[in-house]
Amino acid sequence: MLTVYGMKSSGNCYKVQLLLEQLGRPYRWVEVNSAAGETRTPQYLAMNANGKVPLLEREPGRWLAESNAILCYLAEGSALWPADAWTRAQMLQWLFFEQYSHEPCVAVARFICVYLPPDHARRAELPRLRERAAQALAVMEQHLQSHAFFAGDDYSIADIALFAYTDKAADGGIDLSPYPQVLAWLARVRQQPGHVAQQV
Amino acid sequence: MLTVYGMKSSGNCYKVQLLLEQLGRPYRWVEVNSAAGETRTPQYLAMNANGKVPLLEREPGRWLAESNAILCYLAEGSALWPADAWTRAQMLQWLFFEQYSHEPCVAVARFICVYLPPDHARRAELPRLRERAAQALAVMEQHLQSHAFFAGDDYSIADIALFAYTDKAADGGIDLSPYPQVLAWLARVRQQPGHVAQQV
């Protein structure tokens, strides 16, 4: 059986949970408290030298890191994986957009606001993070003005990847009201069969 | 014919050039000076709302952004694309690692050192960027202690993606001498058929 090493409060880990639930694949979840240093133990680093969650264990000794790579591996061949090569390329474009232009601002703003003390020095990063988040959200808003989902006409893992932290943007003090198409898309994603909300 | 909108001095753009040369695919290169704001014109934003290079134009009106998504699209089915699903997943893992844990420090340190004036305020970011670069290089070094390349036993687009900025790390004041396996891998990549060096 597949094992996921993850932290329920992490959007990157939630992506994997959501996909597995929607695929109806059985899996074992091992909760790893990254904030308490549990991804930096010698045992964990032997599984993932980069010391991050989520991590997929296909079988003992065979591990896959990087949330969006895990989504690709699990979704390939399913209805959440576009059959057309160009649509698949668009899906990958949005997966890389998510990790480069979206997660490093939307998720990090959430981390600072939710998990660090209110007087922490990293709060100084928030204005710049929110400015960059607004740029990413504007790119998404523009795309959604003429598309229901991110890759082609159908729900795919690009939507799962972008949903995770966009749905929690308010936690980082990021207001989604200027992005009505993004709000409508979040609602469409929540209506997909087998959808589960992030519980933390 | 394929058109690449790119900037020769960008490692992300060089990745696409290197792959196209190694695949022997004809293409047209349109030089776009991102540093001079040419990715922020209305014309360019109509092609890529995220305002970045490289951008692949398959045909007028059909564009693909994100360097590593472009690599995937172009390489699929070639010798640089692993046939085995698990090896392909590992390749994607390294592509996402490159964009999340490597490029934002190794490439940004280079940008600050090479393209900004010596008294620029962003030089204050360099110590932290070099610290993060050392972490990324250590992860690569460990992998290369038991592997010749990043995905499986063969050269793939994961190597192209990681080569681009690793080969220019010294530009950002990042010393590769503590990473002998990385240096040996760089030499192996340079020996691949059809290899071309970045010219800027």
Side-chain angles (χ1 to χ4, degrees):
Chain A
M1 189 188 293
L2 296 172
T3 299
V4 179
Y5 296 87
M7 186 167 69
K8 291 276 187 187
S9 59
S10 151
N12 284 321
C13 298
Y14 163 67
K15 294 173 189 174
V16 178
Q17 178 194 6
L18 175 55
L19 176 61
L20 285 165
E21 294 290 341
Q22 293 193 303
L23 293 175
R25 295 261 320 243
Y27 63 97
R28 188 172 71 105
W29 183 280
V30 177
E31 186 71 11
V32 177
N33 190 340
S34 173
E38 292 180 10
T39 58
R40 292 279 156 196
T41 64
Q43 293 83 350
Y44 195 84
L45 291 170
M47 299 195 295
N48 180 8
N50 204 27
K52 294 184 190 297
V53 282
L55 184 71
L56 181 73
E57 184 178 80
R58 196 178 95 163
E59 57 204 63
R62 303 194 85 173
W63 298 290
L64 181 64
E66 299 293 333
S67 58
N68 289 359
I70 296 171
L71 293 185
C72 288
Y73 175 69
L74 294 173
E76 198 175 332
S78 79
L80 286 80
W81 182 258
D84 170 67
W86 183 251
T87 310
R88 210 156 52 234
Q90 303 290 323
M91 178 196 75
L92 285 165
Q93 172 194 294
W94 287 108
L95 291 178
F96 284 106
F97 167 86
E98 191 268 337
Q99 284 288 284
Y100 194 87
S101 298
H102 183 284
E103 201 267 15
C105 42
V106 180
V108 174
R110 175 177 184 248
F111 172 78
I112 291 172
C113 291
V114 175
Y115 297 102
L116 298 183
D119 58 349
H120 198 282
R122 288 197 65 184
R123 289 190 74 87
E125 298 173 27
L126 286 172
R128 178 70 184 127
L129 290 171
R130 288 171 182 153
E131 188 184 321
R132 288 174 53 206
Q135 291 169 5
L137 289 161
V139 170
M140 292 169 66
E141 181 75 7
Q142 183 174 329
H143 175 84
L144 292 168
Q145 276 164 7
S146 51
H147 301 83
F149 295 106
F150 279 95
D153 298 326
D154 300 314
Y155 178 69
S156 76
I157 54 171
D159 301 288
I160 290 181
L162 283 162
F163 177 83
Y165 285 110
T166 306
D167 194 44
K168 298 286 187 184
D171 287 354
I174 296 161
D175 176 18
L176 293 183
S177 65
Y179 313 102
Q181 301 295 339
V182 170
L183 289 168
W185 162 79
L186 287 173
R188 283 195 294 280
V189 172
R190 282 189 214 100
Q191 288 159 8
Q192 296 302 308
H195 182 82
V196 291
Q198 190 176 351
Q199 286 165 10
V200 184
Chain B
M1 189 189 293
L2 296 172
T3 299
V4 179
Y5 295 88
M7 186 167 69
K8 291 276 186 186
S9 59
S10 151
N12 284 323
C13 298
Y14 163 67
K15 293 174 191 174
V16 178
Q17 177 194 6
L18 175 55
L19 175 61
L20 285 164
E21 294 290 342
Q22 293 193 301
L23 293 174
R25 297 264 315 248
Y27 63 97
R28 188 171 71 103
W29 184 278
V30 178
E31 186 71 11
V32 177
N33 190 341
S34 173
E38 291 179 11
T39 57
R40 290 281 157 194
T41 65
Q43 293 82 351
Y44 194 85
L45 291 170
M47 299 196 295
N48 179 8
N50 204 25
K52 294 185 190 294
V53 282
L55 184 71
L56 181 73
E57 184 178 81
R58 196 179 95 161
E59 57 204 62
R62 303 195 87 174
W63 298 290
L64 181 63
E66 298 293 332
S67 58
N68 289 358
I70 296 171
L71 293 185
C72 288
Y73 175 69
L74 294 173
E76 197 175 332
S78 79
L80 285 80
W81 182 258
D84 169 67
W86 184 251
T87 309
R88 209 156 52 234
Q90 302 290 324
M91 179 195 74
L92 284 164
Q93 172 193 294
W94 287 109
L95 291 178
F96 284 106
F97 167 86
E98 191 269 337
Q99 283 289 283
Y100 194 86
S101 297
H102 182 283
E103 202 266 15
C105 43
V106 179
V108 174
R110 175 178 183 246
F111 172 78
I112 291 172
C113 291
V114 174
Y115 297 103
L116 298 184
D119 58 348
H120 198 283
R122 289 198 66 186
R123 289 191 73 86
E125 297 173 26
L126 287 172
R128 178 71 184 126
L129 290 171
R130 289 171 182 152
E131 187 184 323
R132 288 174 51 206
Q135 290 169 6
L137 289 161
V139 171
M140 293 169 66
E141 181 75 7
Q142 183 175 329
H143 175 83
L144 292 168
Q145 276 164 5
S146 52
H147 301 83
F149 295 107
F150 279 95
D153 297 326
D154 300 316
Y155 177 69
S156 77
I157 54 172
D159 301 288
I160 290 181
L162 283 162
F163 178 82
Y165 285 109
T166 306
D167 194 44
K168 298 286 187 184
D171 287 355
I174 296 160
D175 176 18
L176 293 183
S177 65
Y179 312 102
Q181 301 296 338
V182 170
L183 289 168
W185 162 79
L186 288 173
R188 282 195 294 278
V189 172
R190 284 190 211 100
Q191 288 159 7
Q192 296 302 306
H195 182 82
V196 291
Q198 190 177 352
Q199 284 165 11
V200 184

